[in-house]
């Protein structure tokens, strides 16, 4: 049976606003310039591991760091503490903005950051480059997750990939016919499902509209759904304002989405694979598909705090978290594809990696992982200024209030 514990729920519920820190203004004597003109403080990676400092303070999404206190059978911390001598303290956060603000206090050694937070943390000098040679399990991470725009700058790795997932299209099989294969089912070809569309309640959902426009409005010349100039953003906002008339509910808590699909108050909309699994486990007649236009999605990254005083323990902890057995356990508990390619052999459910497409690179090649919109266009354009996350958040408020 699929697990029914809400983990990512409020964790990814509302990705609130915090303007990207001024590039290169803090944390280093110089800057490193990456794609699109993005600049990062000139911080150095740890050169070698030292003697474990005895403790490590971890900032994590709910469900990523379980020590048996929630469920005695779910514990991948206790053995690490015994083996490493690093006592783990964990604080969970509910949004990426909360994670960014907490990391700025300098109190945490490591954080599991989603792509909508990573560039903010890098630009502010709150996290530092990582020496991947010190993470023994890094070699087994899927190559497709390494050195990506959300976890590296100018050839420097800023973290270790942890897991990934796609934002899918879910529909009631008994009410939505024919079976949809396009995001048009929630945008401009809603038909009889008017008033029963559901959409993710977050500014990052603007990227879903931009992704659809990439395929259907080539004249807009959108190349990256997270790199929108003012004209492209306006087009996405216009599409979402039109969609609102058909939306019955914007969701953030996935158990509420499950109930809406069970009752039929929602019949088609965005979802995650784990939500579809839970709904099917509760006998809801639903299916979830990756539409022909592709989708948005997430790839989370473990990063080391620039002000950390326990960096050896932080590295050891991250190495443990992405090791095959632990990465497999987290992926199953949380509901995502593991980042370590050896983890699939360690899952309790031998179908887990098939269901979550963990080894299907063709599948994930169609997923545009969350990234932080910044004024320096992430698609490499230099002749125009792109809209940043603050502008996206303002736009989302206008959409919701329209």
């Amino acid at each position: 049976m699929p697990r029914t514990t809400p983990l990512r729920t409020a964790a990814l519920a509302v990705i609130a606003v915090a303007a990207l820190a001024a590039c290169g203004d803090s944390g280093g004597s110089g800057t490193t310039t990456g794609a699109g003109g993005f600049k990062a403080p000139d911080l150095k990676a740890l050169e070698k591991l030292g003697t474990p400092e005895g403790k490590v303070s971890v900032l994590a999404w709910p469900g990523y760091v379980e020590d048996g206190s929630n469920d005695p059978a779910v514990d991948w911390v206790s053995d690490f503490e015994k083996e490493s001598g690093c006592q783990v303290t964990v604080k969970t956060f509910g949004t990426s903005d909360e994670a960014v603000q907490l990391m700025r206090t300098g109190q945490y050694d490591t954080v599991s950051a989603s792509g909508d937070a990573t560039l903010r943390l890098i630009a502010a000098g709150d996290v530092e480059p990582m020496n991947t040679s010190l993470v023994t399990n890094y070699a087994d991470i899927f190559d497709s997750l390494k050195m990506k725009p959300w976890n590296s700058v100018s050839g420097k790795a800023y973290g270790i990939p942890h897991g990934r997932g796609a934002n899918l299209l879910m529909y009631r099989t008994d009410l939505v016919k024919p079976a949809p294969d396009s995001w048009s089912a929630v945008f401009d070809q809603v038909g009889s499902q008017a008033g029963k569309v559901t959409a993710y309640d977050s500014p990052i959902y603007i990227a879903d509209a931009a992704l659809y426009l990439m395929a259907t409005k080539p004249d807009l010349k959108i190349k990256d759904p997270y790199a929108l100039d003012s004209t492209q953003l306006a087009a996405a906002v216009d599409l979402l304002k039109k969609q609102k008339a058909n939306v019955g509910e914007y969701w953030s808590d996935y158990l509420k989405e499950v109930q809406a699909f069970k009752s039929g108050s929602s019949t088609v909309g965005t979802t995650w694979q784990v939500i579809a699994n839970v709904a099917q486990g509760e006998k809801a007649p639903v299916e979830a598909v990756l539409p022909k236009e592709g989708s948005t999605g997430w790839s989370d990254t473990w990063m080391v705090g620039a002000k950390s005083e326990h960096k050896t323990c932080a590295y050891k902890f991250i190495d443990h978290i992405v090791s095959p057995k632990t990465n497999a356990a987290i992926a199953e508990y949380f509901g995502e594809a593991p980042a370590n390619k050896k983890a699939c052999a360690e899952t309790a459910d031998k179908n887990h990696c098939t269901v979550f497409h963990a080894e299907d690179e063709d599948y994930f090649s169609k997923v545009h992982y969350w990234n932080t919109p910044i004024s320096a266009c992430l698609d490499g354009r230099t002749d125009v200024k792109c809209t940043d996350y603050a502008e996206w958040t303002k736009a989302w408020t206008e959409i919701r209030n329209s």
Side-chain angles (χ1 to χ4, degrees):
M1 287 290 292
R3 39 169 279 281
T4 56
T5 306
L7 294 176
R8 207 170 183 91
T9 60
L12 292 177
V14 181
I15 301 177
V17 58
L20 189 69
C23 294
D25 281 354
S26 62
S29 58
T31 60
T32 296
T33 303
F38 176 81
K39 296 179 181 179
D42 188 16
L43 301 177
K44 306 300 181 184
L46 189 67
E47 292 185 0
K48 61 181 180 179
L49 298 179
T51 302
E53 302 88 354
K55 59 183 178 180
V56 60
S57 180
V58 180
L59 195 57
W61 288 114
Y64 269 6
V65 185
E66 294 294 314
D67 60 4
S69 57
N70 291 322
D71 181 345
V74 182
D75 181 0
W76 42 81
V77 170
S78 297
D79 286 347
F80 166 76
E81 291 179 325
K82 294 175 183 176
E83 294 171 3
S84 69
C86 303
Q87 295 301 302
V88 179
T89 57
V90 183
K91 181 176 178 59
T92 59
F93 54 85
T95 68
S96 288
D97 183 63
E98 183 183 355
V100 169
Q101 295 304 318
L102 288 168
M103 281 302 291
R104 286 180 180 168
T105 68
Q107 298 176 14
Y108 301 94
D109 300 304
T110 181
V111 59
S112 62
S114 291
D116 56 292
T118 50
L119 292 189
R120 285 186 276 172
L121 293 170
I122 293 170
D126 295 319
V127 295
E128 65 186 29
M130 286 196 69
N131 184 344
T132 58
S133 68
L134 301 180
V135 179
T136 59
N137 289 291
Y138 185 72
D140 297 322
I141 299 296
F142 286 105
D143 290 339
S144 60
L145 295 176
K146 297 177 179 177
M147 303 302 293
K148 296 303 178 182
W150 60 89
N151 61 27
S152 69
V153 176
S154 193
K156 292 183 179 180
Y158 275 82
I160 308 300
H162 169 97
R164 56 180 167 174
N167 295 318
L168 304 175
L169 176 65
M170 185 160 70
Y171 62 97
R172 279 279 298 251
T173 57
D174 57 336
L175 300 174
V176 182
K177 297 180 179 181
D181 65 352
S182 167
W183 289 113
S184 62
V186 300
F187 287 123
D188 51 19
Q189 296 180 31
V190 174
S192 62
Q193 306 311 313
K196 296 183 179 181
V197 172
T198 186
Y200 187 43
D201 192 4
S202 166
I204 203 67
Y205 184 62
I206 291 172
D208 291 60
L211 181 70
Y212 183 62
L213 292 173
M214 281 175 62
T216 59
K217 300 291 184 183
D219 289 349
L220 287 169
K221 298 181 180 179
I222 298 174
K223 302 300 182 183
D224 183 330
Y226 307 101
L228 305 180
D229 60 37
S230 58
T231 299
Q232 294 165 339
L233 177 63
V237 169
D238 182 60
L239 180 62
L240 291 168
K241 285 182 176 179
K242 291 176 180 177
Q243 181 197 47
K244 189 185 176 188
N246 295 314
V247 172
E249 181 178 9
Y250 290 94
W251 68 273
S252 57
D253 182 327
Y254 79 49
L255 291 186
K256 290 183 179 179
E257 188 186 27
V258 169
Q259 293 305 313
F261 272 85
K262 287 176 65 176
S263 70
S265 61
S266 291
T267 59
V268 63
T270 52
T271 197
W272 303 321
Q273 184 65 59
V274 64
I275 302 176
N277 291 355
V278 171
Q280 291 168 345
E282 296 186 11
K283 309 303 181 184
V286 300
E287 290 290 344
V289 298
L290 182 72
K292 61 185 181 182
E293 300 89 1
S295 77
T296 58
W298 74 85
S299 171
D300 292 344
T301 302
W302 284 102
M303 311 181 88
V304 172
K307 298 177 182 177
S308 168
E309 296 180 356
H310 314 104
K311 290 180 182 177
T312 293
C313 277
Y315 268 77
K316 286 182 172 293
F317 174 79
I318 293 172
D319 207 2
H320 169 71
I321 285 292
V322 300
S323 63
K325 288 186 178 180
T326 304
N327 201 220
I330 297 172
E332 285 192 274
Y333 184 73
F334 189 84
E336 65 181 354
N340 190 316
K341 55 191 174 187
K342 291 184 177 179
C344 289
E346 304 291 344
T347 56
D349 177 1
K350 296 310 175 185
N351 290 321
H352 179 84
C353 281
T354 299
V355 170
F356 286 86
H357 302 274
E359 300 168 300
D360 189 346
E361 295 299 348
D362 181 63
Y363 178 90
F364 277 109
S365 71
K366 301 176 179 68
V367 177
H368 297 255
Y369 297 108
W370 283 348
N371 207 343
T372 309
I374 57 175
S375 59
C377 296
L378 297 171
D379 59 7
R381 285 180 292 169
T382 58
D383 59 340
V384 67
K385 180 180 179 181
C386 277
T387 53
D388 63 19
Y389 212 75
E391 292 172 272
W392 282 40
T393 302
K394 181 181 178 181
W396 185 247
T397 300
E398 292 176 357
I399 292 163
R400 298 288 275 111
N401 293 335
S402 63

